[in-house]
Amino acid sequence: MVALRGGGSVRTGGAGPGGGRPLIITEDPLLLDDLLRLCAAAGAEPHVHHAVPERSGAGADRGGGGVEDGGRDPAGPIGGTGWESAPLVLVGDDAARRVRGAPRRDGVFLVGRELDDPQVWQRAVEIGAEEVLRLPDAEGLLVDRIADVVEGAGRPALAVGVIGGSGGAGASTLACALALRAARAGERTILIDGDPLGGGMDVLLGGESAEGLRWPDFASSRGRVGAGALEESLPELHALRVLSWDRGDRVVVPPAAMRSVVAAARRRGGVVVVDLPRRIDEAVAEVLAQLDLVLMVVPGELRSVAAAGRVAAGVRMVARDVRAVVRGRCAHGLDAEAVARLLGVPLAGEVPVEVGLPGRVAEGEPPGSRGTLARFCDGFWQRALGSAHGASA
């Protein structure tokens, strides 16, 4: 939970599985070969046992042979590879009866090749398995699950979207400034440009000619995108990674590709900031569903508030948490709290109009480098990230 102004909080993803090594329990040599192959495809080095190992560190010197980097343990437990400590447990159908007495835990899967036997579901219930996976049909799903363990070395990124309540609200400027300040605070940061008609976040950061992939390069992506590969492929500007658009004609990314890319960015941890368009199509909905918080920038004037009401209604259908950022001095009789009440969302804060900012940006200084906008972003991250880190301690 991330506390923000007004006593509210942002619900962030829980701690990841720990980035450890999966545990395989089976005596079926063919199934074991399949599982070792799938682990290799996911970049994981599993531990292998023929029965439930003891808890981590317990009896590590008993029982004979050990397991080293995917080797096969004939019987004994290995320190650090216990049933309870492994981030993921793959139980072969042949071994289900031998693990019935093990403590219940998350992340257990019953795996086999011929699972038409109706009793398999009973065995899955007996061991507390989350799913029954039949190979080869479920190979893709299983690789994804294993890879999540490998890449999920910590808490998922705090994902914040920024959307304009009306045209010209300054959402892209705020998104850029938030990402810049997070990176300067030492957070691993990815800035994602979700608005193909916005002119390009790389341009706003002065990096339109920087080497790296842009959205059109991911438009044909299917299935899982590797978190590390994504980060390394993006242009690095001002200590943060940026996924923007090129200068071509493509302005559409399929929803599945959008979902995969944002999910990969989140798995890398740190902070993800997404600049959102005002229209809510299927691809944008995929992004909204993965965000911890959406900040809606609303100029303090009645017409903008009216427009923001329509935007808020669409965003709240998908996003879990929407808050208003009021920009500029409100008209007489309309303060920031009143704007938030009219929109039916909590107030995240107020951003004064910063004189001279457009000129500095035009001269190559990225938004958020200094001034009132930088101070607003620093305060936001101190509350959001400070609370998130405290909750995970």
Side-chain angles (χ1 to χ4, degrees):
M1 301 289 286
V2 179
L4 289 174
R5 176 173 176 167
S9 60
V10 178
R11 184 173 299 277
T12 59
R21 295 165 61 177
L23 173 64
I24 297 175
I25 302 177
T26 184
E27 286 185 336
D28 182 336
L30 297 179
L31 177 60
L32 179 56
D33 285 343
D34 284 339
L35 293 177
L36 291 175
R37 172 176 55 83
L38 296 177
C39 284
E45 297 178 345
H47 292 290
V48 180
H49 286 264
H50 295 324
V52 177
E54 297 181 24
R55 295 184 181 183
S56 299
D61 58 347
R62 303 196 308 271
V67 179
E68 295 292 339
D69 297 336
R72 311 184 186 193
D73 173 23
I78 302 300
T81 66
W83 169 273
E84 296 180 10
S85 63
L88 183 74
V89 180
L90 305 176
V91 180
D93 189 38
D94 65 292
R97 290 184 175 85
R98 294 195 297 279
V99 304
R100 280 186 298 188
R104 293 302 174 100
R105 51 152 294 166
D106 295 331
V108 175
F109 297 88
L110 185 62
V111 187
R113 284 187 304 278
E114 297 295 336
L115 299 181
D116 292 331
D117 177 5
Q119 296 299 315
V120 71
W121 303 106
Q122 179 179 341
R123 294 193 290 275
V125 171
E126 290 173 347
I127 67 173
E130 292 184 13
E131 293 184 57
V132 176
L133 303 177
R134 177 171 56 192
L135 303 182
D137 295 349
E139 285 192 356
L141 174 61
L142 190 49
V143 169
D144 284 350
R145 296 281 190 172
I146 298 168
D148 283 342
V149 169
V150 175
E151 292 185 343
R155 183 180 54 253
L158 176 60
V160 177
V162 184
I163 190 168
S166 61
S172 295
T173 299
L174 178 58
C176 184
L178 283 169
L180 182 71
R181 301 311 296 185
R184 290 189 177 180
E187 295 289 333
R188 170 184 276 140
T189 305
I190 296 180
L191 174 60
I192 297 178
D193 186 352
D195 187 358
L197 303 180
M201 297 298 282
D202 54 349
V203 176
L204 195 56
L205 286 165
E208 59 271 23
S209 61
E211 293 186 0
L213 301 184
R214 267 66 173 182
W215 264 121
D217 298 303
F218 296 96
S220 60
S221 297
R222 295 182 180 179
R224 195 173 191 283
V225 176
L230 171 68
E231 183 181 36
E232 293 171 4
S233 71
L234 300 179
E236 184 174 5
L237 305 171
H238 303 282
L240 60 96
R241 298 285 181 166
V242 182
L243 175 54
S244 189
W245 299 83
D246 62 8
R247 307 318 130 205
D249 296 331
R250 178 183 282 275
V251 295
V252 176
V253 171
M258 188 76 76
R259 178 178 62 250
S260 296
V261 168
V262 174
R266 290 209 66 195
R267 287 196 302 271
R268 199 62 174 163
V271 166
V272 174
V273 179
V274 185
D275 181 38
L276 296 163
R278 292 175 61 211
R279 71 180 190 284
I280 311 300
D281 56 20
E282 188 177 352
V284 174
E286 291 285 359
V287 178
L288 288 171
Q290 298 191 58
L291 298 178
D292 297 303
L293 172 66
V294 177
L295 298 176
M296 185 167 59
V297 185
V298 186
E301 56 185 27
L302 189 58
R303 187 163 178 256
S304 296
V305 174
R310 292 189 290 271
V311 176
V315 173
R316 284 186 297 179
M317 293 178 65
V318 185
R320 69 185 77 178
D321 192 347
V322 183
R323 306 191 186 194
V325 174
V326 177
R327 178 173 173 266
R329 184 180 299 275
C330 295
H332 178 70
L334 188 68
D335 61 15
E337 294 285 356
V339 170
R341 285 196 301 270
L342 287 171
L343 296 175
V345 299
L347 178 65
E350 303 170 57
V351 180
V353 173
E354 188 170 337
V355 178
L357 177 60
R360 297 201 304 268
V361 171
E363 293 174 359
E365 179 181 296
S369 297
R370 54 193 168 106
T372 57
L373 181 58
R375 289 193 290 273
F376 170 85
C377 294
D378 287 345
F380 172 84
W381 290 126
Q382 286 170 7
R383 296 189 301 273
L385 291 171
S387 179
H389 293 166
S392 65

